[in-house]
């Protein structure tokens, strides 16, 4: 089992996780499952942060 942990709420910034998304094979293998569970693309959320969603609890808590 693999676990991917981001810093606590309030420390999210656009672009966070770039190295995880692009170089950690375990994450890349699980990315589609993660997105299916969340109902959105974690990569797009973190790298693009459209509409400042990283500031909203429902996106920072999962």
């Amino acid at each position: 089992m693999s676990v991917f942990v981001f810093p606590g709420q309030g420390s999210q910034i656009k672009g966070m996780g770039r190295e995880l998304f692009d170089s950690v094979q375990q994450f890349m293998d699980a990315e589609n499952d993660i997105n299916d569970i969340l109902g959105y693309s974690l990569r797009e959320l973190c790298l693009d942060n459209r509409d400042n969603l990283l500031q909203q609890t429902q996106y920072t808590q999962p």
Side-chain angles (χ1 to χ4, degrees):
M1 174 195 244
S2 298
V3 177
F4 304 100
V5 180
F6 289 99
Q9 187 172 352
S11 60
Q12 293 81 4
I13 59 169
K14 181 178 178 179
M16 70 177 207
R18 184 175 310 278
E19 291 175 10
L20 171 72
F21 300 131
D22 294 335
S23 62
V24 177
Q25 189 61 49
Q26 288 175 304
F27 179 83
M28 293 186 284
D29 292 344
E31 186 170 5
N32 288 333
D33 292 334
I34 293 167
N35 294 341
D36 288 346
I37 291 167
L38 293 175
Y40 55 86
S41 169
L42 186 60
R43 178 186 295 262
E44 288 178 18
L45 172 68
C46 293
L47 300 184
D48 299 334
N49 192 24
R50 291 188 202 131
D51 301 320
N52 252 353
L53 296 178
L54 285 175
Q55 306 305 317
Q56 297 181 28
T57 300
Q58 66 264 33
Y59 294 96
T60 59
Q61 289 296 325

